[in-house]
Amino acid sequence: MAGELNINAVRDSFTEALNGANSLQELDEIRVKFTGKKGDLTLLLRSLGKLPPEERKSAGQELNTLRDEIEQKLEQTGKKIRDAENEKQEISQRIDVTLPVKGRTSGAFHPVMQTMHEIANIMQGLGYSVATGPEIEEEFYNFECLNVPAWHPARDMQDTFYFPDGRLLRTHTSPVQIRAMLEYGAPLRIICPGKVYRRDNDTTHSPMFNQMEGLLIDKDVPFSVMKGTLAEMVNAFFGKSLKSRFRASYFPFTEPSMELDIECVECSGHDEHCRVCHGTGWLEVAGMGMVHPNVIRAGKIDPDEFNGFAFGIGLDRMAMLKYGISDLRLLFDGNVSYFMSGFQGEAE
Ligand code: DAH
């Protein structure tokens, strides 16, 4: 019988297709191919009417059986595929709690910030408080009050960025001295860490860098207290007793003025080719002096009653010296691994 032959052929090709089905999508394609509107089984069912009446009944029964079979097998295979996929997904998402933990890097202070905190801690231990001032500063505080009038050549050395209204990016943290004196009066002991700006940009100068200002105002402050304070600070910061020397210098806001050199932290003066001190054995680390009476007066304090000293330290340089950072540009680099290697363990 032609009908029977077709039925078996459809069953065989369905079985073969089903054996090759590996995904739900493939299974769906098989479903359409056999039971869809133009599917093989559907066409067979439609052709039933064309059979002679005596064959129709048994062919109809056979076709119904085949349809049930196909539907059942589609269902079973679908379940099998779904189960297998679920299991695969479950395995791939399973968390193996016995695996070793991957290395974890935690955040850390930037070396300059670290340095700032360390020096601030030391100074706070000596009774100093932290004061701050604006980075966008008035010319009056940045220069005028600090004994640097418009004609003064020191303005050239601290060339900066000006705003149309005459304000500027502060060139040093010294203006906070004036602001603090005006706000708190005397006696006074403050440090002021912060960013400063100059029109400088080469391998050893950045247009933005960090300073820390210090100011002590009291009655009859001797010169020796300034020397002792600065020496104490650098020794505590580097964690060892370093030789220091005070060199006469000039700053418009102090009189007399000095610069502090410390023994080279790298070679202690024993290496004439030292890359840090270039064989001099000394490192310049701070500017300081006894506060000029004009500056004390600008802070609305009577210089006949009070005197004191002030200093300024470059924090970037201190960080480079302590942490052995040889290139200023690394301080602006996002590569954390450089610091993590030599720096780890220093963070509090
Ligand atoms: N303001 C100076 C600078 O930026 C540093 C400095 C020197 C600050 C002497 C002081 C000081 O307070 O007394 O170069």
Side-chain angles (χ1 to χ4, degrees):
M1 228 182 325
E4 242 171 82
L5 204 79
N6 274 346
I7 290 173
N8 285 334
V10 169
R11 175 179 281 114
D12 290 348
S13 78
F14 172 76
T15 309
E16 193 184 325
L18 201 64
N19 286 340
N22 286 316
S23 69
L24 290 175
Q25 195 192 337
E26 281 169 11
L27 195 68
D28 219 46
E29 283 161 12
I30 295 170
R31 185 193 311 281
V32 172
K33 182 172 182 317
F34 290 91
T35 66
K37 260 192 204 160
K38 291 183 183 158
D40 296 354
L41 177 70
T42 318
L43 293 181
L44 276 186
L45 281 164
R46 277 204 205 129
S47 65
L48 258 186
K50 288 183 197 142
L51 285 181
E54 64 277 14
E55 285 177 22
R56 236 178 261 166
K57 192 173 170 207
S58 68
Q61 277 171 352
E62 264 187 80
L63 271 181
N64 279 340
T65 313
L66 177 62
R67 188 184 54 203
D68 291 348
E69 217 177 289
I70 285 182
E71 276 170 4
Q72 206 183 353
K73 286 195 171 151
L74 280 172
E75 178 120 347
Q76 280 169 358
T77 312
K79 186 171 175 322
K80 235 193 267 171
I81 294 176
R82 267 194 304 277
D83 285 352
E85 280 182 359
N86 283 345
E87 194 179 323
K88 220 172 25 186
Q89 198 183 10
E90 201 202 311
I91 289 173
S92 75
Q93 289 179 351
R94 199 175 287 164
I95 295 170
D96 183 352
V97 292
T98 66
L99 283 176
V101 183
K102 276 194 195 150
R104 196 168 58 97
T105 51
S106 54
F109 278 122
H110 188 282
V112 175
M113 281 303 115
Q114 175 79 14
T115 297
M116 192 183 272
H117 288 305
E118 285 172 2
I119 300 183
N121 273 343
I122 296 165
M123 296 309 292
Q124 280 170 321
L126 294 176
Y128 287 71
S129 308
V130 176
T132 53
E135 288 173 32
I136 298 175
E137 185 54 285
E138 288 167 38
E139 202 179 322
F140 182 69
Y141 293 110
N142 195 82
F143 290 128
E144 212 69 39
C145 294
L146 289 165
N147 220 14
V148 190
W151 51 264
H152 201 287
R155 286 219 183 186
D156 263 4
M157 286 154 54
Q158 300 201 358
D159 194 8
T160 185
F161 304 89
Y162 287 84
F163 292 85
D165 64 4
R167 287 184 305 162
L168 46 80
L169 289 180
R170 67 178 178 192
T171 58
H172 49 181
T173 41
S174 303
V176 191
Q177 284 187 29
I178 306 292
R179 290 181 174 276
M181 282 193 277
L182 291 174
E183 192 168 344
Y184 307 113
L188 185 64
R189 265 187 234 191
I190 47 137
I191 45 165
C192 350
K195 293 189 177 73
V196 301
Y197 303 83
R198 291 195 197 166
R199 281 185 60 159
D200 249 344
N201 195 12
D202 56 41
T203 51
T204 54
H205 295 90
S206 135
M208 185 283 291
F209 54 104
N210 297 270
Q211 279 191 339
M212 188 185 286
E213 193 77 12
L215 173 71
L216 181 144
I217 299 286
D218 214 324
K219 287 186 175 165
D220 303 321
V221 179
F223 197 78
S224 54
V225 172
M226 171 175 73
K227 291 177 72 176
T229 303
L230 269 292
E232 177 67 28
M233 181 193 73
V234 289
N235 285 346
F237 176 67
F238 287 105
K240 52 184 167 188
S241 184
L242 295 164
K243 269 186 271 163
S244 48
R245 76 176 182 191
F246 294 85
R247 239 178 332 100
S249 185
Y250 171 78
F251 298 102
F253 23 92
T254 44
E255 183 59 39
S257 304
M258 297 188 305
E259 274 170 86
L260 167 64
D261 294 345
I262 55 167
E263 164 192 334
C264 177
V265 291
E266 178 80 12
C267 75
S268 298
H270 299 312
D271 179 4
E272 58 181 298
H273 303 296
C274 176
R275 63 179 179 89
V276 178
C277 68
H278 305 292
T280 63
W282 294 101
L283 302 169
E284 195 181 302
V285 294
M288 77 204 71
M290 301 306 284
V291 185
H292 197 288
N294 287 351
V295 176
I296 297 185
R297 213 170 283 123
K300 300 266 188 288
I301 294 173
D302 181 0
D304 291 330
E305 201 184 342
F306 290 95
N307 75 331
F309 64 86
F311 59 87
I313 329 164
L315 294 174
D316 307 68
R317 180 159 162 77
M318 291 294 265
M320 290 172 74
L321 289 174
K322 179 159 178 180
Y323 297 115
I325 301 162
S326 54
D327 187 335
L328 176 73
R329 290 166 295 189
L330 283 168
L331 294 179
F332 300 90
D333 197 308
N335 185 356
V336 187
S337 60
Y338 175 84
F339 295 117
M340 293 315 276
S341 53
F343 197 59
Q344 229 168 24
E346 299 287 352
E348 283 165 23

